[in-house]
Amino acid sequence: MPQHSSINRNPASASGSREGAPFFTSIPVPARWFGLSGAIPFVGLSIGGAFLSGAHQSLAYFTLVAYGAVILSFLGGVHWGRAIKAFDQGAVADKFLWVALGISVVPSLIGWLTLLVPLAIGLPVLAASFAAMLLIDLQTVKSEQFPSWYGNLRVILSVIVIASLLFAWL
């Protein structure tokens, strides 16, 4: 099978360890592209909504909350995957599994609840939830359960997402 030169086969970079690499460039290119592309709806809906009025603005901001709920759920899913892999490998006890799976499910529930409350409540609750998930993710990176580049990516995307949600809220 032919090898493609664009695939980095360096074991150190495959695990996410790129000591001394700059903050942004330590993030694998596909993760940068997909991550930043996923931030476009946050920015577009929050800024675009500011130029709309009435029902159109409400629809833009509800769409922003709905998208935020989906992405918050996705962040929880990352922790579900981490937990089941660690448990399956026998690396953790039942207590860890309860905590890790709890962390993975709560974001989905919060996201769903933000769809049921007024926008004036849903937008800041989502912003706070993204901030909380960032702190959890950075702790997970610190404990070496996620690669360091993931923490870098999460910081960049969280700043964009939280700023967008708060801009729409104000």
Side-chain angles (χ1 to χ4, degrees):
M1 182 181 280
Q3 290 187 355
H4 300 285
S5 61
S6 64
I7 298 174
N8 187 343
R9 302 205 187 284
N10 179 345
S13 64
S15 68
S17 174
R18 294 185 183 189
E19 295 301 320
F23 189 83
F24 185 71
T25 58
S26 68
I27 304 166
V29 173
R32 273 189 261 163
W33 276 97
F34 285 120
L36 290 171
S37 296
I40 292 170
F42 284 104
V43 175
L45 288 166
S46 66
I47 293 174
F51 294 101
L52 300 173
S53 61
H56 292 99
Q57 184 180 57
S58 293
L59 178 60
Y61 289 159
F62 176 79
T63 304
L64 175 63
V65 169
Y67 184 67
V70 169
I71 298 303
L72 190 62
S73 212
F74 171 81
L75 293 177
V78 170
H79 287 272
W80 182 279
R82 170 183 63 94
I84 62 173
K85 181 176 181 184
F87 187 79
D88 193 47
Q89 293 174 338
V92 295
D94 277 346
K95 182 179 178 184
F96 168 85
L97 192 61
W98 278 99
V99 171
L101 292 180
I103 288 170
S104 75
V105 171
V106 168
S108 299
L109 296 173
I110 291 172
W112 171 64
L113 288 173
T114 64
L115 295 169
L116 304 176
V117 299
L119 291 173
I121 296 170
L123 288 164
V125 166
L126 272 178
S129 299
F130 275 99
M133 285 306 294
L134 174 61
L135 294 175
I136 290 167
D137 286 343
L138 291 176
Q139 184 59 42
T140 308
V141 168
K142 185 178 178 182
S143 67
E144 298 182 349
Q145 296 175 55
F146 286 155
S148 60
W149 66 260
Y150 183 72
N152 297 348
L153 177 66
R154 288 286 291 116
V155 167
I156 293 166
L157 296 178
S158 293
V159 167
I160 294 168
V161 168
I162 293 166
S164 297
L165 291 166
L166 292 178
F167 179 81
W169 179 54
L170 297 174

